Amino acid sequence: NAGKKLAFSCPFCREPIPTSNEEFAQLQARCLKNDHKAHKLLGVRHQRGTLSTPKNNLKALDYFIRSVELGSPEACMLIGNIYSEGNGVNVDKERAALFVRIAALRGSICARNDIGVTEYESGSYEVGICHWKIAAE
């Protein structure tokens, strides 16, 4: 083994880790098969502008919306964050709260926690604690 070049590989299947272009192509192929996780991941790549993907908030929003249509609670939460912060869209706190509530109803623990924090900070202590209990279960 001395003197051999080390190649990074998956610890489970021993396949080489794909380059960012190969990973992007794999995600696009998964999107064609209506994989909500792939849509969410491509949205995150466009939102952050990572791994040779240009930053494009509107394209990220499109990927998140498609992911929500396919049933992703995490994408609902991400759309809520986009409207809350105004990334590529006008700030709309009501629409942000709506998407966070939808994410919570679909089972997102992070969304449930955020609702609990919002309720607790607004003085509805019991409602906030109820949301935290639901998130903890």
Side-chain angles (χ1 to χ4, degrees), residues 31 33-36 39 65-72 106:
C31 284
K33 296 180 181 181
N34 291 329
D35 182 359
H36 70 86
H39 282 277
I65 289 171
R66 182 66 182 134
S67 184
V68 168
E69 290 170 351
L70 295 171
S72 173
R106 289 188 176 187

Side-chain angles (χ1 to χ4, degrees), residues 86-120:
N87 292 334
V89 296
N90 294 330
V91 174
D92 188 346
K93 298 292 185 181
E94 290 178 16
R95 187 172 281 184
L98 173 69
F99 276 103
V100 171
R101 289 198 184 282
I102 292 171
L105 289 173
R106 289 188 176 187
S108 172
I109 296 169
C110 294
R112 189 64 76 168
N113 177 59
D114 282 1
I115 293 171
V117 169
T118 303
E119 293 290 341
Y120 195 85

